[in-house]
Amino acid sequence: MLIGGLSLQMGKYNKLIDYYVPVILVLTAFIWKFFFIDYRDICNDEPFTIYHAQKSLSGIISISMANEATPPLFMILTHFWIKLFGIGPYSVRFLPLLFNAFTVLFIYLAGKRFFGFWAGLIASGMFLLSNYHFFYGLEARTYSLMSLATAASLYYFLRYANDQSDRKALTALIISNIVLVYSHHFGWFVIFSQ
C-alpha cells in the first residue's frame, strides 16, 4: 500500500514537472528579456528590416532575391506583424522575443527527452544566460527565428531518429527545416549535419 501510494505521488510529481518546468522556462525567458526590449535603440540592420518589411510581399521577395543576405521568411512575418502592431521598438522586437522565448522550450525538451531532466534544465539555463541569445534574440532580424527553427529541427530529428514510425516527428522535422532554410542560409548546415 505504501509503495503504491508513493508511486502515485511520484506520478503526479512527474506530471507537474513535465508541465510546469517548460512553462516556467518560457515565461522566464519572455519576462526577463521583455524588460530589455528597448534597452538599445533600433540599430545595425534593424532599420533595414523595418523599412523593407513595410513593402509589398512581392517587393520583399525581390529584395531577398537581389541583395538581401537572408531568405525572406522573417521579413514577411515582420511585414504582417507591423501591419497589426506598428513599427515602434516594442512592436518590432516583440515577435523576435516570442521566437526566442519558445527556443528555450525546444532546448529543454530535447535535453530532457534524450539526455535526462538535468541535461534539459542545464542546457535551457545556458541558453537563458547566453549574452549572444539575450541581445541578438531581441533584434528585429532573423536570428531568433533561426534559433527557434534550429532547436525545433534538432528536437524533431532526434525524435524521428529514435523512432522512424513517428510520423508527427517527421512532419514537424520537415516543417521546421523549411522554416530554417527560409529564415537563414546557414540553416542548410543544420540539415546537412542531420
Side-chain angles (χ1 to χ4, degrees):
M1 187 72 169
L2 179 63
I3 294 175
L6 185 59
S7 171
L8 184 62
Q9 282 184 321
M10 289 302 290
K12 287 181 181 179
Y13 179 73
N14 287 339
K15 285 186 180 186
L16 286 174
I17 286 177
D18 288 345
Y19 178 74
Y20 286 114
V21 169
V23 170
I24 289 169
L25 287 170
V26 170
L27 287 176
T28 299
F30 179 83
I31 293 168
W32 181 33
K33 293 174 183 183
F34 179 77
F35 288 112
F36 294 91
I37 203 166
D38 67 343
Y39 179 72
R40 295 184 307 163
D41 293 331
I42 297 292
C43 61
N44 299 328
D45 289 338
E46 289 179 301
F48 177 85
T49 301
I50 296 166
Y51 174 75
H52 289 294
Q54 296 176 67
K55 295 183 177 186
S56 67
L57 291 180
S58 61
I60 292 170
I61 292 169
S62 67
I63 291 166
S64 292
M65 293 174 71
N67 59 2
E68 168 60 12
T70 58
L73 181 60
F74 181 79
M75 206 173 297
I76 290 170
L77 294 173
T78 304
H79 169 83
F80 291 110
W81 189 264
I82 285 172
K83 285 188 177 289
L84 292 172
F85 301 108
I87 60 170
Y90 278 97
S91 173
V92 296
R93 288 180 175 160
F94 195 84
L95 186 61
L97 173 61
L98 288 175
F99 294 147
N100 190 274
F102 281 104
T103 301
V104 77
L105 174 67
F106 284 102
I107 292 170
Y108 169 75
L109 291 175
K112 179 180 178 287
R113 182 173 186 142
F114 300 103
F115 305 104
F117 170 76
W118 288 108
L121 196 61
I122 290 169
S124 56
M126 290 173 66
F127 176 81
L128 284 171
L129 297 174
S130 165
N131 282 340
Y132 177 83
H133 287 286
F134 191 90
F135 289 105
Y136 286 107
L138 292 174
E139 274 197 11
R141 291 295 285 168
T142 193
Y143 311 125
S144 61
L145 180 59
M146 183 185 174
S147 295
L148 174 61
T150 299
S153 175
L154 292 173
Y155 170 70
Y156 289 117
F157 173 75
L158 290 172
R159 267 186 56 181
Y160 184 69
N162 201 34
D163 177 13
Q164 271 121 33
S165 65
D166 188 350
R167 295 292 175 217
K168 289 180 182 178
L170 178 60
T171 302
L173 173 63
I174 291 168
I175 292 169
S176 59
N177 283 346
I178 290 170
V179 170
L180 185 57
V181 298
Y182 279 99
S183 63
H184 203 285
H185 297 297
F186 286 166
W188 287 108
F189 291 116
V190 175
I191 293 171
F192 290 143
S193 73
Q194 292 173 353

